[in-house]
Amino acid sequence: MATVDPGPTTIRPLSVESWGLFDALVERHGGIFGGCWCTYFHPDDGERAPGAEGNREFKRRLVEEGVAHAALVIREDADGEEAVAWAEYGTPGQLPGLHHRQQYFADLENAGESEPDYRVTCIFVDRRFRRHGLVTRALDGALALIAQDGGGVVEGYPHVPREKKVSASFLYNGTQSVYERAGFEFVRSKGRFNTVMRRVVAPV
């Protein structure tokens, strides 16, 4: 599907004030990944209702409590503002969910390493504006917000290239090359098609 350049964009943190922009983006894409509402990596408190609507309200509650973070990429045209991408980030306590979790912690222990201060767990781009650098824009936005929060060691889990082209739905955390351009260094593999990459973000 042909996409269009979104034009100039700004970064805004996910918050109660920006919830409507995030909400509209997710709604336009059917709740994201089968109605996940970008809740997969959050700890389940056992109180959310089932289904997409339950995930939506759970995410909204986490935002209201100040424990769900993301960099929203915002564009503006004659019709107003809209979010066109996001990068979810947070502390390991806020985002404990990981694919290949058993392997990840075994490798972490074997290497004598600690969990990072922050991790980037999900990057999503509006299907209308893909292939115009918004994954990079969202990741850079998340790193800038982390710097404002005090910085530290940041970890991401991007995908490695495959021989066959895969849907953007499977590239939920960007690619290794995007993270390399953002200053991350390869640490180790995670599963068959993911990596662990790290960089230090200085506070501002």
Side-chain angles (χ1 to χ4, degrees):
M1 183 180 74
T3 62
V4 297
D5 190 324
T9 59
T10 57
I11 297 295
R12 195 172 302 170
L14 176 62
S15 66
V16 173
E17 290 74 24
S18 63
W19 169 261
L21 296 170
F22 173 80
D23 185 70
L25 172 56
V26 181
E27 281 282 10
R28 290 196 301 271
H29 294 79
I32 307 297
F33 308 131
C36 171
W37 278 88
C38 206
T39 61
Y40 176 85
F41 300 101
H42 291 294
D44 191 342
D45 62 3
E47 297 181 3
R48 78 171 90 175
E53 189 58 33
N55 289 336
R56 178 187 188 184
E57 291 307 311
F58 176 58
K59 186 74 173 188
R60 184 203 296 268
R61 177 155 45 88
L62 294 178
V63 171
E64 291 173 347
E65 293 172 357
V67 294
H69 308 286
L72 301 181
V73 181
I74 310 296
R75 72 183 289 265
E76 185 174 1
D77 60 18
D79 295 323
E81 293 183 326
E82 63 176 352
V84 293
W86 81 71
E88 177 183 63
Y89 69 91
T91 67
Q94 293 166 344
L95 297 169
L98 288 171
H99 294 295
H100 316 293
R101 181 180 181 85
Q102 184 173 356
Q103 176 198 353
Y104 173 84
F105 282 105
D107 289 344
L108 198 72
E109 182 177 359
N110 289 337
E113 297 173 351
S114 301
E115 288 191 85
D117 299 300
Y118 291 92
R119 53 175 50 127
V120 179
T121 52
C122 186
I123 300 176
F124 183 83
V125 176
D126 189 309
R127 65 172 65 93
R128 297 171 297 163
F129 304 107
R130 290 171 183 166
R131 303 187 185 281
H132 292 280
L134 292 183
V135 171
T136 296
R137 182 77 170 110
L139 177 58
D140 288 346
L143 296 177
L145 293 175
I146 288 171
Q148 292 175 21
D149 288 342
V153 176
V154 182
E155 209 168 67
Y157 315 102
H159 307 268
V160 296
R162 305 189 194 185
E163 293 183 3
K164 293 184 178 180
K165 183 178 179 180
V166 299
S167 166
S169 298
F170 292 98
L171 302 178
Y172 60 86
N173 206 358
T175 60
Q176 186 173 342
S177 61
V178 169
Y179 279 75
E180 288 172 347
R181 291 195 296 270
F184 285 76
E185 295 183 353
F186 175 85
V187 177
R188 65 181 66 90
S189 297
K190 183 165 74 74
R192 291 181 61 195
F193 299 113
N194 291 88
T195 61
V196 178
M197 300 187 72
R198 283 189 172 194
R199 65 159 286 183
V200 175
V201 172
V204 296

